[in-house]
Amino acid sequence: MIAASPSEVFSLVSDPYNLPRWWPRTERVEDVERTQAGKRSRWTKVLRTKGGRGVRADFRCTGSTESSRFAWEQEIAGTPFEKHLQSSEVEIKLEPVSAGTDVRITSRQTLRGLSRLGSPMLSRGQGTIIAEALEGIDLALIDQKGEDRG
């Protein structure tokens, strides 16, 4: 549960430029092409690997419903990710609750070829990323409001 309204959370998660504030390992966002309703918007995330290297990945919004849902997928065809990934999608659902917003993040990745053997490890890794993203949303909204975390 995030102590902010669904519209505040949606405003944060639906703007690709905000990703470095809350999505794990995102260093910056570039080349954002927005559409009015958000759906079909495109952007490039520059991710920082554990080894400190920058990796570029392209994404596009696949669904957007004001203050309740935002979803995107990684564009994989023709990229180095194509060797290992068949698809990679994220969906964020927002539900108003009495003290704020229930935020549910679902990440689905389909591996390709021999990479499928690492599926259990990938699932554990995705769980960590989702937990970090939820914490990042909470911290970004607290910082935005200028509240004391201490």
Side-chain angles (χ1 to χ4, degrees):
M1 201 276 303
I2 304 291
S5 71
S7 64
E8 290 173 302
V9 178
F10 185 82
S11 179
L12 177 75
V13 302
S14 66
D15 182 350
Y17 285 116
N18 283 327
L19 283 161
R21 294 176 58 204
W22 66 275
W23 192 261
R25 295 192 294 270
T26 301
E27 186 172 278
R28 68 181 181 275
V29 173
E30 304 172 342
D31 303 326
V32 175
E33 296 175 22
R34 291 189 194 192
T35 62
Q36 190 160 344
K39 193 170 181 185
R40 290 181 291 284
S41 293
R42 294 184 179 311
W43 62 90
T44 299
K45 274 199 284 186
V46 178
L47 304 162
R48 184 65 45 200
T49 67
K50 288 181 182 177
R53 221 178 83 229
V55 176
R56 297 172 59 86
D58 297 320
F59 297 85
R60 73 180 183 92
C61 176
T62 57
S64 179
T65 304
E66 184 70 31
S67 298
S68 66
R69 180 180 174 271
F70 193 74
W72 69 77
E73 70 181 0
Q74 185 174 351
E75 296 179 341
I76 295 171
T79 72
F81 296 99
E82 189 174 40
K83 290 182 198 175
H84 307 287
L85 282 174
Q86 187 170 337
S87 67
S88 179
E89 304 165 341
V90 172
E91 180 180 50
I92 302 169
K93 290 185 178 181
L94 309 175
E95 188 72 35
V97 294
S98 62
T101 304
D102 181 38
V103 179
R104 294 180 190 231
I105 301 175
T106 306
S107 176
R108 290 179 292 279
Q109 291 187 328
T110 305
L111 298 175
R112 186 182 300 277
L114 290 175
S115 296
R116 291 184 305 220
L117 299 174
S119 185
M121 288 190 324
L122 180 70
S123 296
R124 283 193 299 275
Q126 288 301 103
T128 300
I129 289 170
I130 289 170
E132 290 175 11
L134 287 167
E135 182 178 344
I137 290 170
D138 194 34
L139 293 175
L141 290 169
I142 288 171
D143 287 345
Q144 186 173 298
K145 292 178 181 180
E147 296 175 12
D148 183 17
R149 284 185 254 164

